[in-house]
Amino acid sequence: QLGLKQKHSHLGMEGFLNMLEASSLLGPATGFSKREAKLVMIWSKMSVVDEIRHRNRAVSLTFVDFLEAVGRVADWISMPNPEDLEKFYDPELNPAGSPSLLYEFYTKAPTSEQERLRRASAEFGNTRTRPLHIKLSQVIEVMYYSLKAQFGGADEASVAGKLNSMARMLG
């Protein structure tokens, strides 16, 4: 719970795109474009019976819609498997280690379309090779460390507190 009243807890298209960009999930490193993010948001929305009277619900994500959208983002993005991370990680360049190799991968990964990782199983309509819960866990990890770096949080509680404060301010 973000401490917001239910009628005010909606996330619009611009906020969703900004959240994905701030979370290092939107752009050439992940291969996830604004167009794809907009499709994910639209596909994640529940139907609204009266779009005129309930305009806010019709054009924005509720909390349940948001959860589905994050799941769809995880399914769309080609997250690296442990072997890919081993190839990327060089202990001599990072001797102290990193709290998240996934975060390091997406903040330092090659950004050109030719160089980035893209699995055939991530293409629309192809059979998936990894379970969604593994990819979802990876997406949440990248989101957390990206937001932690931007907000300067020391741990999960401080990052959650800063997100909660921001949500109250925007709500």
Side-chain angles (χ1 to χ4, degrees):
Q1 176 101 0
L2 292 177
L4 300 174
K5 295 178 182 170
Q6 184 63 28
K7 66 180 185 175
H8 295 295
S9 57
H10 291 83
L11 181 64
M13 180 71 75
E14 185 177 345
F16 182 65
L17 294 174
N18 288 340
M19 187 256 335
L20 290 174
E21 193 167 7
S23 300
S24 305
L25 294 173
L26 190 64
T30 59
F32 193 61
S33 68
K34 282 188 179 183
R35 176 188 170 275
E36 293 164 339
K38 289 176 183 180
L39 288 172
V40 161
M41 182 173 168
I42 291 167
W43 292 339
S44 300
K45 297 238 359 85
M46 285 191 256
S47 298
V48 176
V49 175
D50 188 349
E51 295 174 351
I52 303 297
R53 287 185 58 207
H54 303 288
R55 178 78 178 140
N56 196 30
R57 274 193 289 170
V59 298
S60 58
L61 295 173
T62 64
F63 181 68
V64 173
D65 297 336
F66 172 75
L67 294 177
E68 179 162 341
V70 171
R72 287 180 183 267
V73 168
D75 195 40
W76 199 306
I77 293 176
S78 292
M79 298 301 281
N81 60 29
E83 294 81 28
D84 296 327
L85 289 175
E86 294 270 333
K87 290 177 192 171
F88 166 75
Y89 179 68
D90 183 357
E92 291 183 16
L93 295 176
N94 190 5
S98 172
S100 170
L101 290 180
L102 280 169
Y103 172 70
E104 294 293 323
F105 181 84
Y106 281 117
T107 55
K108 297 177 182 172
T111 56
S112 74
E113 288 290 321
Q114 295 79 23
E115 294 180 61
R116 74 173 171 80
L117 176 68
R118 187 71 180 165
R119 300 181 190 297
S121 63
E123 298 300 325
F124 186 75
N126 288 353
T127 304
R128 303 297 188 239
T129 57
R130 288 188 290 169
L132 180 60
H133 73 276
I134 292 172
K135 296 191 288 186
L136 184 58
S137 176
Q138 290 177 313
V139 163
I140 291 170
E141 181 180 329
V142 171
M143 289 174 74
Y144 168 73
Y145 282 104
S146 297
L147 294 173
K148 181 179 177 183
Q150 287 194 14
F151 292 149
D155 57 9
E156 291 91 351
S158 63
V159 173
K162 290 180 184 208
L163 282 172
N164 193 13
S165 298
M166 184 177 71
R168 267 191 254 122
M169 182 178 67
L170 295 174

